[in-house]
Amino acid sequence: MKIYNKYIAGIALLLVLTGCRAPMATVIKDEVKENLPQNFNQEEQQDINANSGTTPWRQFFTDPNLVSLIETALKNNQELLITLQEIEIAKSGVLAKKGRLTPTVSAGIGAGLKKAGRYTSEGAGDATTEIEPGKEMPDPLGNFEGGLMANWEIDIWKKLRTEKEAAVAHYLSTVEGKNFVLSNLIEEVADNYYELLALDNQLEIIQQYIKLQEKALEISKIQKEAAAATELAVKKFEAELAKSKAAEYTIRQNITEKENQINALLGRYPQPIVRTKESFMSTMPQTVYTGIPSQLLANRPDIKQAELELKASKLDVQAARKEFYPSLEISATLGLEAFKPSYLVKMPESIAYNLAGELAGPLINKSAIKANFQTADAKQIQSLYEYDKTILNAYLDVANLMSKVKNIDQYYQMKSQETKALDQSIDIANQLFRNSRADYLEVLLNQRDALDAKMELIEAKQKQLSTVVDIYKSLGGGWK
C-alpha cells in the first residue's frame, strides 16, 4: 500500500513539473497610449473640464424634427437590433463559463440485459453463485438502475475563473460596441438630415433662377423684335433655361433618394421626412469643446470596446497557458441498482455509489495545446494593435475636424460675401441689358456665377453643421 501511494505521489509530482514548463506569454507594451499628446494642437487652449462629448444627444440637437427622427432610428434600426442580439450572445457566454465553476448534477435511469459466455470467468462465476439459498443467478442477467451523477472540475489553477473573466470582458466590449453603433447611427441620421435640408434649399434656389431666366428670355425676345438683339441671344437664354430645368429634376431625384436613405436608417418604408427648410441657412452650429485627448479614452465607446477586447485577449492567453497544468476532476454517483426491478426497493442491498478523483495532465504530444496557446498569444498582440489604431484614429479625427471647423467657418463667410456681390451684379447686368447697354453673355455669366455661388453657400452651411455633428461623435458623444 505504501509503494502504491508513492507511485501516486510520483505521478502527481511529474504532472505538476510538466505544467511548470508551460510557455510564457509575449509581454506587450502600449506605447501609443503612453505617448498620447496633451492637447489637439489647437492654437487656443480650451477649458479641460468642458467636453462636448459628454453632452447627451437630446441636449446637443435642438431641432425637434431631427430629435424625432433619431428617436425612431433608435427603436427600429436593424443594425442596432442586430448588435443587441450580439450582447445577448455574449451574455450567454458568461453564463456558460460561470456554470463550469460549479458541479454538474444529472439524474438518469437505465435498463439492460447481459448474457456472459458459460466458459468465461464471469459466466462460470455467475453459474456457481446463488443470490439466495437455493436460488441461482439468472441467465441472462438483467440490470436496472437509477440515481444521481455529479462531476466537478476543481479550479485549482483558477483556469475556469480566468475564462469567466475573459467572457465578462468580451460581454462588456459588446456593450461598448452597441454604444458605438448608437453614436454612429445618430451621426448618420443628423448628417443625412442636414444634407436633405441643403437639397431643399438648392431646389428653391434653382426654381428662383428659372424664374429669373424666364424673364431674361422674354426680354431677349422683345429686344429681338425691336432689332436690339439677335436670334443667338434668344437661343442662348432658351438653352440656359432648359439646362436649369434639367438640374431641377436632378435635385428632386436626389431629395427622393436622401429621404429613402433616412427612412432606411429609421427601419421603415419610404415616406415623407418631416422638416423645416426655411430656417436652414440661419441655423448656427453648436460651439464644440474638445477637452484634452486623454478624455477620449473614457468617452469614446470604440476605444473602450478595443480596450476590453485587449483585456479579454490577455485573459485568454492566461487560460490557454493553464491548459498545460494538470486538472483535478471529482465524479460521484449515488442510486439504486439491481438485476430485477422488484429488488430495487430492497435497501440497503440495492444502494450503489461511486466516488472518484482524477488528476490528469498532458505529458506527450501537446501540439494542440501549444497551437491554442500560440493562437491566443497572437490574438493578444493583434488586439493591442487594434487598440492602438483606434486611439490614434480617434485623436486624428478630432484634430482634423477641429481644423475643418475653423476653415469651413471662414469659407462660409467668404462665400456669403461672394453671393451678395454677385446678386448685386445680376441686378446691374439686367438693367444694362434692358437698356441695350450690356451683352446677353454678360447677363448669362453673372446669373451662372450667382447660381453657383448660392449652391456652394448652401453646401458650405451643410458642411458647417455636419462637421460639428462629426466632431461631436468623434469626441465620444451621441450614445448617452
Side-chain angles (χ1 to χ4, degrees):
M1 188 66 181
K2 290 182 179 180
I3 296 176
Y4 179 76
N5 290 336
K6 288 182 179 179
Y7 282 135
I8 295 295
I11 293 173
L13 180 60
L14 178 61
L15 291 172
V16 172
L17 292 176
T18 303
C20 292
R21 293 206 305 267
M24 298 299 294
T26 302
V27 178
I28 57 179
K29 186 177 180 181
D30 193 357
E31 295 183 357
V32 172
K33 180 179 178 181
E34 293 177 358
N35 297 325
L36 189 66
Q38 298 298 315
N39 54 59
F40 291 105
N41 295 326
Q42 296 170 233
E43 296 177 0
E44 297 179 4
Q45 297 299 320
Q46 299 182 6
D47 183 2
I48 63 173
N49 296 319
N51 191 314
S52 297
T54 60
T55 304
W57 68 266
R58 292 178 186 275
Q59 298 178 17
F60 188 82
F61 298 105
T62 56
D63 187 331
N65 294 322
L66 176 56
V67 170
S68 178
L69 292 174
I70 292 175
E71 288 176 342
T72 304
L74 296 182
K75 293 177 183 177
N76 302 331
N77 182 263
Q78 281 80 16
E79 184 178 355
L80 180 58
L81 296 177
I82 292 171
T83 304
L84 292 177
Q85 295 309 307
E86 291 178 356
I87 293 176
E88 294 301 317
I89 294 172
K91 187 187 295 184
S92 299
V94 174
L95 294 176
K97 297 297 183 181
K98 184 179 180 180
R100 292 187 61 190
L101 288 168
T102 56
T104 58
V105 180
S106 58
I109 58 174
L113 186 67
K114 183 178 181 181
K115 170 70 171 69
R118 176 66 180 80
Y119 301 108
T120 62
S121 60
E122 183 180 355
D126 289 345
T128 57
T129 301
E130 294 183 344
I131 301 172
E132 296 177 356
K135 194 170 185 179
E136 296 180 352
M137 183 77 73
D139 187 23
L141 184 66
N143 185 59
F144 301 89
E145 59 182 354
L148 301 176
M149 294 155 282
N151 282 286
W152 187 19
E153 181 179 351
I154 307 299
D155 195 20
I156 52 178
W157 310 111
K158 295 185 178 180
K159 181 190 71 174
L160 301 179
R161 289 183 178 85
T162 303
E163 291 178 350
K164 189 197 81 169
E165 290 175 6
V168 170
H170 178 65
Y171 162 72
L172 294 175
S173 76
T174 60
V175 174
E176 295 299 338
K178 181 263 297 182
N179 293 336
F180 189 57
V181 171
L182 280 175
S183 185
N184 282 336
L185 177 60
I186 291 173
E187 176 200 32
E188 200 168 354
V189 171
D191 283 345
N192 280 281
Y193 178 75
Y194 291 136
E195 289 175 13
L196 180 59
L197 291 180
L199 289 170
D200 288 338
N201 280 264
Q202 287 181 338
L203 179 61
E204 186 177 354
I205 292 296
I206 199 71
Q207 289 172 342
Q208 293 174 2
Y209 184 59
I210 288 173
K211 291 179 180 179
L212 187 64
Q213 288 178 322
E214 288 174 342
K215 291 179 181 179
L217 177 60
E218 291 175 5
I219 294 172
S220 67
K221 288 180 179 179
I222 293 172
Q223 288 185 338
K224 178 195 171 188
E225 293 175 359
T230 64
E231 181 69 16
L232 179 60
V234 175
K235 294 303 180 183
K236 283 289 186 179
F237 279 116
E238 286 180 350
E240 190 70 15
L241 179 60
K243 179 182 177 182
S244 299
K245 288 183 177 180
E248 178 185 2
Y249 290 113
T250 300
I251 294 175
R252 289 184 182 276
Q253 177 61 26
N254 291 337
I255 289 175
T256 299
E257 293 178 1
K258 187 58 64 177
E259 283 186 319
N260 289 340
Q261 190 173 350
I262 294 175
N263 282 314
L265 291 172
L266 272 55
R268 66 189 189 187
Y269 287 105
Q271 57 184 277
I273 301 297
V274 179
R275 58 196 186 272
T276 304
K277 64 180 180 181
E278 289 76 18
S279 60
F280 175 71
M281 295 304 294
S282 61
T283 302
M284 296 301 296
Q286 292 268 25
T287 301
V288 179
Y289 301 97
T290 61
I292 56 177
S294 60
Q295 292 173 334
L296 292 174
L297 304 179
N299 292 342
R300 279 189 56 138
D302 58 332
I303 293 180
K304 293 195 285 185
Q305 180 186 19
E307 183 179 16
L308 288 166
E309 285 295 342
L310 176 59
K311 178 181 178 181
S313 65
K314 289 180 179 179
L315 291 170
D316 286 338
V317 173
Q318 294 180 25
R321 186 172 187 270
K322 291 173 182 177
E323 291 290 345
F324 289 92
Y325 300 161
S327 59
L328 175 61
E329 292 189 8
I330 296 177
S331 59
T333 58
L334 175 63
L336 303 176
E337 186 176 15
F339 62 82
K340 191 174 182 182
S342 59
Y343 287 171
L344 289 173
V345 296
K346 290 188 176 183
M347 292 183 286
E349 289 85 354
S350 62
I351 296 176
Y353 61 85
N354 178 52
L355 179 65
E358 180 180 345
L359 182 67
L363 289 178
I364 302 173
N365 192 11
K366 297 185 286 186
S367 58
I369 299 176
K370 289 179 179 178
N372 289 335
F373 173 79
Q374 291 170 356
T375 299
D377 193 41
K379 287 183 176 180
Q380 172 195 215
I381 300 173
Q382 186 182 50
S383 297
L384 174 64
Y385 294 151
E386 287 288 344
Y387 180 54
D388 288 345
K389 183 180 75 172
T390 305
I391 293 176
L392 183 60
N393 289 341
Y395 177 86
L396 293 176
D397 282 346
V398 176
N400 290 338
L401 288 169
M402 285 305 296
S403 175
K404 187 177 180 181
V405 165
K406 288 183 178 181
N407 291 326
I408 199 69
D409 286 344
Q410 294 298 320
Y411 177 81
Y412 182 79
Q413 296 299 326
M414 295 300 102
K415 279 297 175 182
S416 297
Q417 295 179 19
E418 179 187 1
T419 302
K420 291 178 182 178
L422 288 172
D423 280 341
Q424 293 172 359
S425 68
I426 285 179
D427 294 336
I428 296 171
N430 287 338
Q431 186 66 35
L432 292 173
F433 182 65
R434 291 191 191 98
N435 297 326
S436 300
R437 296 177 59 188
D439 187 76
Y440 68 92
L441 289 175
E442 294 181 78
V443 177
L444 281 176
L445 290 174
N446 274 280
Q447 289 178 350
R448 287 178 184 175
D449 290 343
L451 176 64
D452 292 341
K454 288 181 180 179
M455 290 294 194
E456 291 172 356
L457 181 64
I458 293 172
E459 290 179 0
K461 173 57 71 173
Q462 177 262 315
K463 290 179 181 178
Q464 192 180 45
L465 296 173
S466 293
T467 300
V468 171
V469 174
D470 294 343
I471 195 170
Y472 172 64
K473 175 252 180 181
S474 296
L475 290 170
W479 59 272
K480 295 182 181 179

